[in-house]
């Protein structure tokens, strides 16, 4: 279940209405805005507890397990041979920033990332995943603005752009530039194979 990044009252205040006639429509636009932000940034901005599985060869670089999602905390790690990886045997990377993008086995640890039969989905990491426990203020603002933009698109679904050689052309817009600017610092960088 996806957690919306803003509330119905946030969007209604932004567009300046207290009417309830469009509440269902606005709620749908909030869900759409949340999904679009996740897609654009390649990450989620609310936490969730789940177990994710990793390839013991493809997702491993030496002692480092490269994660395909943002990690906030670890509940348990099961190595590909079925043995638990104790918290004393690893550190989360990067040390002084959130969220975490990798799990590194300590140099003093006698274990290595491994598997028994097949490397695919051999390593299990159970924990709390997401960029943050709750969406940052910029993400909330982007969600409000994008949901309101979707709502206003029902009246005027195209943007007008002037091109000197062609005259005035109307084209559908992907996302307003101010929202893209708000989201730019939050886009997930591609690391390793993920």
């Amino acid at each position: 279940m996806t957690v919306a990044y803003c509330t119905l009252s946030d969007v209604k205040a932004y567009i300046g209405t207290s009417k309830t006639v469009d509440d269902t429509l606005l709620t749908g636009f909030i869900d759409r805005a949340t999904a679009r932000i996740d897609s654009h940034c390649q990450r989620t901005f609310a936490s969730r507890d789940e177990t994710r599985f990793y390839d013991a060869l493809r997702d491993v670089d030496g002692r480092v397990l490269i994660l395909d999602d943002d990690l906030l905390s670890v509940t348990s790690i099961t190595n590909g041979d079925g043995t638990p990886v104790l918290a004393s045997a690893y550190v989360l990377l990067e040390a002084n920033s959130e969220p975490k993008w990798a799990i590194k086995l300590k140099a003093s640890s006698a274990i290595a990332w491994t598997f028994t039969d097949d490397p695919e989905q051999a390593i299990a990491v159970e924990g709390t995943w997401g960029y943050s426990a709750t969406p940052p203020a910029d993400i909330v603002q982007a969600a409000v603005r994008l949901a309101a933009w979707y709502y206003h698109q029902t009246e005027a679904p195209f943007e007008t752009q002037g091109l000197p050689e062609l005259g005035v052309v109307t084209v559908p817009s992907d996302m307003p530039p101010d929202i893209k600017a708000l989201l730019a610092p939050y886009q997930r960088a591609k690391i390793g194979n993920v």
Side-chain angles (χ1 to χ4, degrees):
M1 180 176 174
T2 303
V3 175
Y5 295 156
C6 63
T7 65
L8 179 61
S9 59
D10 292 337
V11 176
K12 288 173 77 169
Y14 183 83
I15 63 175
T17 186
S18 58
K19 297 177 185 174
T20 59
V21 67
D22 287 336
D23 284 3
T24 302
L25 183 64
L26 287 170
T27 300
F29 287 145
I30 290 167
D31 293 342
R32 185 174 164 197
T34 297
R36 182 69 178 99
I37 289 168
D38 287 354
S39 174
H40 182 80
C41 294
Q42 295 298 299
R43 61 178 15 139
T44 57
F45 294 93
S47 65
R48 69 206 180 282
D49 294 328
E50 69 180 25
T51 301
R52 299 184 68 81
F53 297 91
Y54 294 92
D55 189 299
L57 297 176
R58 186 180 57 86
D59 298 327
V60 170
D61 184 9
R63 300 186 69 71
V64 177
L65 175 65
I66 301 168
L67 306 174
D68 65 342
D69 201 353
D70 298 320
L71 178 63
L72 294 171
S73 65
V74 172
T75 304
S76 69
I77 301 173
T78 304
N79 209 342
D81 60 0
T83 61
V85 179
L86 302 177
S88 60
Y90 66 85
V91 293
L92 303 177
L93 301 178
E94 290 295 322
N96 298 310
S97 65
E98 298 289 340
K100 306 305 183 185
W101 61 271
I103 301 169
K104 182 178 182 181
L105 295 173
K106 290 182 179 177
S108 62
S109 157
I111 62 172
W113 299 117
T114 190
F115 61 96
T116 301
D117 296 320
D118 296 305
E120 297 85 7
Q121 300 180 15
I123 301 168
V125 180
E126 180 185 359
T128 302
W129 301 84
Y131 181 84
S132 53
T134 58
D138 286 343
I139 298 303
V140 173
Q141 177 60 28
V144 168
R145 170 78 176 91
L146 188 54
W149 182 76
Y150 286 144
Y151 178 72
H152 291 301
Q153 289 296 344
T154 60
E155 298 164 2
F158 297 100
E159 269 186 17
T160 301
Q161 298 180 348
L163 299 173
E165 52 283 342
L166 298 176
V168 176
V169 177
T170 56
V171 294
S173 178
D174 172 41
M175 183 187 295
D178 62 310
I179 298 172
K180 286 183 180 180
L182 269 175
L183 298 178
Y186 297 94
Q187 287 184 286
R188 188 171 204 267
K190 185 173 172 73
I191 300 171
N193 296 326
V194 294

